[in-house]
Amino acid sequence: MSAALKIREITPAEIARATGGRLVTFGNGAAAVSSVVIDSREAAPGALFCAIRGERTDGHAYIAAAVASGCTAVLCEREPEGITGDFAAVVVDDTVRAMNDLAAWYKSLLPLRTVAVTGSVGKTTTKELIASVVSTRFRTLKTEGNLNSTIGLPLTLFSLRPDDEAAVLEMGMNHPGEISRMSKTARPDIAVITNVGTAHLEYLGSREGILRAKMEITDGMTPGEGMLILSGDNDMLRTVASSPMQPVYFSASGDADCAFYATDVTENAGGVSFTFRAADGTVWEDVRLPLIGLHNVGNALAAIAVGRKLGLTEDEIRRGLLAYRAVGMRQNIVDVGGVRLIEDCYNANPESMRAALGVLRSVAKENGGGAVALLGDMLELGTDGPRLHREIGAYAATLGLKYLFCYGPLAAYIREGAVCAGMSPDKTVWEPDTDHPERLADEIVRRIGRGDTVLVKASRGIAAENVSNICRDFWNKNN
């Protein structure tokens, strides 16, 4: 991964000052850098190579290769030895922390309106909705792909353009302290937490631990300034009593005690619509969103709240919501050979699974055929994993599915939960081997046909899209 510096080049001396590092020059190594890379294979003249120690590899082992490719400078934790060439090294205690410090300094070169978004479920969709709204008035940088980590966030900020006026930044995490680091780097004016669920229980221990980790998003905010926007429909977020700023709540369930809430929610094949209401008496009727799933109303309310805070008009906010487009493998709905396919393979946890099954039910009702679910393992749930998988299976059993296909070792518990809840075993299939997706694909294409709607949902590590891709090819060729 890499980022080209578009605001201006930066010198090794500036890198050292921003990171508190020690500058060491080799040969004539004093030239400014014009890009930042974390993979030595992307190193080139003008690049700053950041040597990161990971679980599997240590970037310091590739400094020589980066220098040989012509990189101008290196950010590292120990002084390079035995390497010849013209380059500068900035030696720091922690390369990732230094990347964040440098990105924070680089961001400070522009007077940006900054929005940070996190949550157990829906943070990417909410980020995209907010960016779509904000960009109706301001030139906006947003987090792309999976660059929502303590490494990805700096790369996003290094991609800033000289005329950018706003940044909408997604913040993900697995462990405590990660969002705190990113918040201190981004220094957001507005922070949004979509919800607190069960994702990452393996590392955070409890939902209370997840709440504490999510609330770290305020660590980089100036106390008493900005806005903290929280879902008033989430039991954990409603417990937030104190923070550097007073929480502002939104509710998709019509809770009039919240600052922003929705009523008259309806759904059809084209998306959802609702009436937006605010505590100040504002009412916007027939707000439309080109997204299926009632859970997306909350995401839209967060985007409206951000837009109003930034002074956007009702027309601008409405246009921004309508301009939303799905990204990656999230809720991609396509018709293939008479089968309607809902691909949602980017990630999964119990909350997003339930939401996706709700989308399946709505789409299948509109489509008129059977509802079929391919549900794969939900990862990083720790010791609660078996129970949470069973609960998803039990919920799926209430939806009248034509078939339930379970994919991955943990998905056995999904099938178990469904059968225990009354679903016929004949309507369920479990395939534990994710190295051979053709096995489950064969079962799927043998059982379903034209008019059916199929949901594919699993954690990214299960690669359930491999199954849907095989099914796609079959349906395209045989229908």
Side-chain angles (χ1 to χ4, degrees):
M1 293 186 287
S2 62
L5 301 176
K6 300 181 182 72
I7 300 176
R8 70 170 175 84
E9 295 182 338
I10 53 181
T11 67
E14 288 175 321
I15 296 170
R17 285 196 296 271
T19 62
R22 176 169 58 90
L23 177 60
V24 183
T25 58
F26 297 80
N28 297 316
V33 303
S34 56
S35 66
V36 179
V37 304
I38 62 173
D39 187 332
S40 62
R41 292 169 294 186
E42 297 183 64
L48 168 66
F49 172 60
C50 301
I52 297 172
R53 287 183 294 105
E55 293 181 0
R56 297 183 178 87
T57 60
D58 185 347
H60 293 79
Y62 301 96
I63 291 177
V67 171
S69 296
C71 81
T72 299
V74 176
L75 188 64
C76 52
E77 296 173 7
R78 53 182 182 269
E79 185 175 327
E81 297 179 354
I83 300 175
T84 58
D86 297 325
F87 70 101
V90 176
V91 184
V92 296
D93 292 332
D94 185 314
T95 304
V96 174
R97 185 174 66 198
M99 280 181 66
N100 279 267
D101 291 339
L102 181 61
W105 170 82
Y106 190 71
K107 175 180 179 287
S108 72
L109 300 175
L110 295 178
L112 287 175
R113 303 158 181 85
T114 305
V115 184
V117 184
T118 193
S120 297
V121 181
K123 57 182 175 292
T124 298
T125 300
T126 303
K127 177 260 299 182
E128 291 291 329
L129 284 167
I130 293 171
S132 188
V133 167
V134 174
S135 63
T136 60
R137 181 180 297 188
F138 304 111
R139 182 170 171 84
T140 304
L141 174 80
K142 66 178 181 179
T143 300
E144 299 288 354
N146 62 351
L147 297 180
N148 62 356
S149 66
T150 53
I151 295 172
L153 175 68
L155 290 173
T156 297
L157 295 177
F158 290 135
S159 300
L160 281 163
R161 300 155 295 194
D163 54 350
D164 277 331
E165 301 169 297
V168 182
L169 306 171
E170 180 180 333
M171 297 181 181
M173 58 90 194
N174 293 323
H175 298 87
E178 292 175 341
I179 288 181
S180 178
R181 174 64 271 178
M182 287 185 278
S183 179
K184 291 172 183 177
T185 299
R187 298 195 60 81
D189 305 297
I190 303 172
V192 177
I193 305 179
T194 60
N195 49 53
V196 171
T198 52
H200 311 304
L201 273 174
E202 181 178 1
Y203 304 115
L204 296 165
S206 65
R207 292 185 70 215
E208 289 76 15
I210 296 171
L211 174 62
R212 287 192 295 272
K214 297 299 183 185
M215 283 297 296
E216 292 174 4
I217 201 168
T218 65
D219 288 358
M221 303 179 77
T222 303
E225 297 182 10
M227 177 183 280
L228 174 63
I229 301 171
L230 307 177
S231 171
D233 297 327
N234 183 264
D235 60 332
M236 297 302 296
L237 290 174
R238 285 304 287 257
T239 67
V240 174
S242 62
S243 72
M245 57 284 304
Q246 187 69 28
V248 174
Y249 285 102
F250 64 87
S251 170
S253 65
D255 186 345
D257 290 334
C258 294
F260 309 107
Y261 60 100
T263 60
D264 311 312
V265 178
T266 60
E267 181 180 31
N268 56 47
V272 297
S273 63
F274 58 93
T275 297
F276 167 74
R277 301 179 185 274
D280 64 6
T282 298
V283 178
W284 299 347
E285 295 181 346
D286 195 29
V287 177
R288 297 187 180 185
L289 185 65
L291 267 170
I292 297 172
L294 298 178
H295 60 284
N296 285 308
V297 173
N299 301 335
L301 288 171
I304 293 172
V306 171
R308 283 168 60 94
K309 175 64 176 178
L310 294 180
L312 274 66
T313 66
E314 176 184 347
D315 178 66
E316 288 171 324
I317 292 171
R318 285 179 180 268
R319 285 193 288 112
L321 293 176
L322 282 173
Y324 168 88
R325 295 294 179 270
V327 296
M329 291 180 284
R330 296 174 174 85
Q331 203 185 101
N332 180 33
I333 303 176
V334 294
D335 289 308
V336 187
V339 175
R340 183 159 292 180
L341 186 62
I342 307 171
E343 295 178 308
D344 196 348
C345 308
Y346 183 77
N347 217 334
N349 53 53
E351 293 76 24
S352 66
M353 277 282 196
R354 287 176 179 268
L357 285 165
V359 170
L360 169 63
R361 179 170 52 185
S362 297
V363 175
K365 183 178 180 180
E366 288 280 346
N367 202 32
V372 178
L374 188 172
L375 305 182
D377 288 6
M378 300 177 290
L379 305 179
E380 298 183 4
L381 296 178
T383 57
D384 289 306
R387 173 181 62 83
L388 294 171
H389 282 78
R390 289 190 196 96
E391 290 176 359
I392 289 298
Y395 177 68
T398 68
L399 303 180
L401 298 180
K402 182 177 180 179
Y403 287 106
L404 172 63
F405 297 95
C406 305
Y407 191 49
L410 288 170
Y413 297 110
I414 297 178
R415 182 179 185 275
E416 179 184 323
V419 172
C420 288
M423 190 169 186
S424 170
D426 293 340
K427 292 185 176 182
T428 67
V429 175
W430 172 49
E431 175 52 66
D433 187 357
T434 58
D435 290 331
H436 294 89
E438 70 279 0
R439 295 177 181 172
L440 188 58
D442 289 345
E443 295 288 342
I444 293 173
V445 300
R446 187 165 61 85
R447 284 172 166 80
I448 69 173
R450 297 180 67 87
D452 288 339
T453 300
V454 182
L455 166 69
V456 182
K457 179 73 173 174
S459 282
R460 185 69 192 89
I462 299 303
E465 69 275 9
N466 292 337
V467 179
S468 62
N469 287 340
I470 296 171
C471 292
R472 273 174 176 257
D473 290 342
F474 177 87
W475 291 322
N476 276 324
K477 294 175 182 176
N478 294 276
N479 290 280

